[in-house]
Amino acid sequence: MAGDATWLTSPGTNSFDDAGNWSTGLVPTGIATFGASNTTTVAVDTPTTLGELLFAAGAPFYTLNVTANLTLNGGGIVNSSVNTAIVNVTDGATLTTTSTNGKVNVALNGGGLRFGKDD
């Protein structure tokens, strides 16, 4: 069963992979929700597979710096906030997703973007 979790309002680090930064005490594998927080630049630096990245209504500007492969197998990237989310994909990393809405800026700094599933 996929585990959903919410990024804490005061996480101890900026690492996505630090279980202590999440509401459940576990790194999410289902829906990773980002809401109000004092840490809005998040490092995704180990290969990660999720169902969805969700930026909740009222979430501030977030920047995710992806330096390892990030795969989203469910709803993709959903931004319900009025603020734009930025996903930076750096050299050597790939973002694989089913979809993204118009309030998400995906910057490919030498990285790659794939839509859909690999067969």
Side-chain angles (χ1 to χ4, degrees):
M1 176 179 239
D4 301 342
T6 300
W7 186 251
L8 295 177
T9 56
S10 291
T13 70
N14 74 331
S15 176
F16 185 95
D17 302 310
D18 184 340
N21 292 335
W22 295 97
S23 60
T24 61
L26 298 170
V27 176
T29 56
I31 299 173
T33 301
F34 295 90
S37 181
N38 64 8
T39 302
T40 58
T41 299
V42 180
V44 181
D45 51 12
T46 63
T48 301
T49 299
L50 301 169
E52 178 178 302
L53 288 174
L54 171 62
F55 298 93
F61 289 98
Y62 269 91
T63 300
L64 271 62
N65 292 313
V66 180
T67 59
N69 293 345
L70 174 59
T71 302
L72 306 171
N73 290 324
I77 303 172
V78 177
N79 188 356
S80 299
S81 173
V82 297
N83 295 309
T84 300
I86 298 171
V87 179
N88 290 315
V89 182
T90 62
D91 194 20
T94 301
L95 170 62
T96 303
T97 184
T98 54
S99 64
T100 183
N101 69 19
K103 295 185 287 184
V104 178
N105 179 7
V106 177
L108 301 175
N109 301 310
L113 176 64
R114 295 181 187 160
F115 281 98
K117 293 178 122 180
D118 291 333
D119 291 326

